[in-house]
Amino acid sequence: MATGAGDRYWAGQALPSVFKHTLLDKYVPQFAGMTGSIGRRVVYLDGYAGRGRYTDGTPASAEKILMVAQSQFERVGLAWICYFVEQDPESARALGDVVGEYVAKGVTALAHRGDVQDVLDQVVASAVGCPLFAFLDPCGLGLPFDRMSSLLNGERKKDWPPTEFLLNFSLDAVRRIGGHVTGQRNEATLRRMDDAVGGRWWREHFAGGVNDAAVEAVVAGFSERMSAATGMHLVAVPVRRAPTHKPVYDLCPAPGSVEARN
Ligand SMILES: C[S@@+](CC[C@H](N)C(=O)[O-])C[C@H]1O[C@@H](n2cnc3c(N)ncnc32)[C@H](O)[C@@H]1O
């Protein structure tokens, strides 16, 4: 289950967000500029968008991309279609306000309040014939494995136009849920992890308790299974709160994909 991000999270950008936002800033405009140069159109999904902007006024993931979309449309006529999804009502309200500001400036963008899974089919349908970039940044577990792999097969299986993902794979969630294997068992929680990683295979790694090797084995197993199921290549980049801390997530770019962890 993906969990929420409250007022403290949105007070200002914390260190683990700097890396993923820098990747968005540096990579997504290049991806759009290069892959969108033929059809002059790209589709972008921020499936766990949050509030769009921090309380201190700093752009968060949604506003960063809205700024790029506005700039590329005005400078080179590249048309972006942006989808932003947020489940929490308060965050969705704030996100809607930020998206509205850019829609008023001519950006084509939709803010949806609800589950990211509500919009996946619409996003894929609107991206037929053009590049698609998706940023999936849950606080906890993300899309079910089967939903994610079916999304990356079908229409998006083709080499061109390309599909790339930046995925936050939460290691904090893996550690926490891994503790249920030998500790106080919550079957529903264990099954949510089964759904997220594509089966019960991960549980055996925690038979000896929660440790770094078990967490690494889950990341490796997930990457291998997702690559096998979709033909995409995932690269896991560990992201920490501080140099001496354990990684909070892997950021996973998938070209046909990009991957990240926290
Ligand atoms: C880590 S925060 C997003 C941060 C944002 N991407 C950024 O970098 O500025 C994750 C967000 O996902 C939202 N969320 C959780 N489950 C969701 C779901 N199933 N569909 C859409 N949003 C969800 C949470 O409410 C939370 O605001």
Side-chain angles (χ1 to χ4, degrees):
M1 178 183 63
T3 50
D7 289 344
R8 196 158 154 233
Y9 181 96
W10 292 108
Q13 192 185 44
L15 193 57
S17 293
V18 172
F19 181 63
K20 62 191 176 190
H21 288 169
T22 303
L23 259 176
L24 290 180
D25 276 343
K26 303 279 181 211
Y27 184 75
V28 178
Q30 300 276 353
F31 170 83
M34 291 168 81
T35 64
S37 59
I38 299 171
R40 315 304 302 157
R41 203 164 68 95
V42 294
V43 173
Y44 180 87
L45 166 67
D46 186 343
Y48 300 82
R51 300 186 184 178
R53 182 186 290 150
Y54 294 100
T55 316
D56 67 4
T58 309
S61 65
E63 186 168 27
K64 281 180 174 291
I65 289 302
L66 286 160
M67 292 162 78
V68 173
Q70 183 191 3
S71 154
Q72 288 197 327
F73 183 61
E74 290 175 356
R75 282 190 303 106
V76 296
L78 181 58
W80 286 58
I81 303 171
C82 304
Y83 295 87
F84 300 99
V85 189
E86 172 53 45
Q87 190 166 254
D88 172 70
E90 189 181 344
S91 293
R93 236 184 337 267
L95 175 68
D97 290 347
V98 173
V99 171
E101 288 175 27
Y102 287 82
V103 169
K105 294 177 191 168
V107 177
T108 303
L110 176 85
H112 174 74
R113 173 181 160 187
D115 189 325
V116 59
Q117 295 196 58
D118 300 345
V119 305
L120 292 178
D121 293 337
Q122 184 186 354
V123 170
V124 169
S126 72
V128 170
C130 67
L132 169 64
F133 192 98
F135 178 41
L136 298 177
D137 184 28
C139 301
L141 299 178
L143 285 179
F145 184 94
D146 291 345
R147 191 72 174 100
M148 177 124 175
S149 55
S150 65
L151 180 72
L152 296 172
N153 283 303
E155 177 62 33
R156 301 315 304 185
K157 185 86 177 170
K158 300 170 188 160
D159 284 346
W160 192 268
T163 304
E164 300 204 10
F165 270 72
L166 186 60
L167 170 67
N168 177 334
F169 189 86
S170 173
L171 303 184
D172 280 349
V174 173
R175 284 186 200 102
R176 180 172 46 78
I177 299 172
H180 287 255
V181 171
T182 53
Q184 213 175 24
R185 277 177 94 81
N186 179 324
E187 276 303 326
T189 301
L190 291 169
R191 276 199 300 276
R192 275 199 298 275
M193 181 78 169
D194 297 345
D195 288 347
V197 300
R200 297 165 63 95
W201 59 268
W202 65 277
R203 297 187 187 201
E204 72 189 47
H205 295 294
F206 289 95
V210 178
N211 54 62
D212 292 349
V215 174
E216 287 303 314
V218 172
V219 173
F222 172 79
S223 297
E224 280 162 21
R225 283 168 176 79
M226 188 57 75
S227 295
T230 62
M232 291 182 101
H233 174 58
L234 272 77
V235 183
V237 183
V239 179
R240 295 173 164 78
R241 286 197 181 89
T244 53
H245 290 196
K246 290 187 190 302
V248 282
Y249 65 89
D250 270 4
L251 201 52
C252 304
S257 62
V258 184
E259 165 177 48
R261 335 178 228 190
N262 76 1

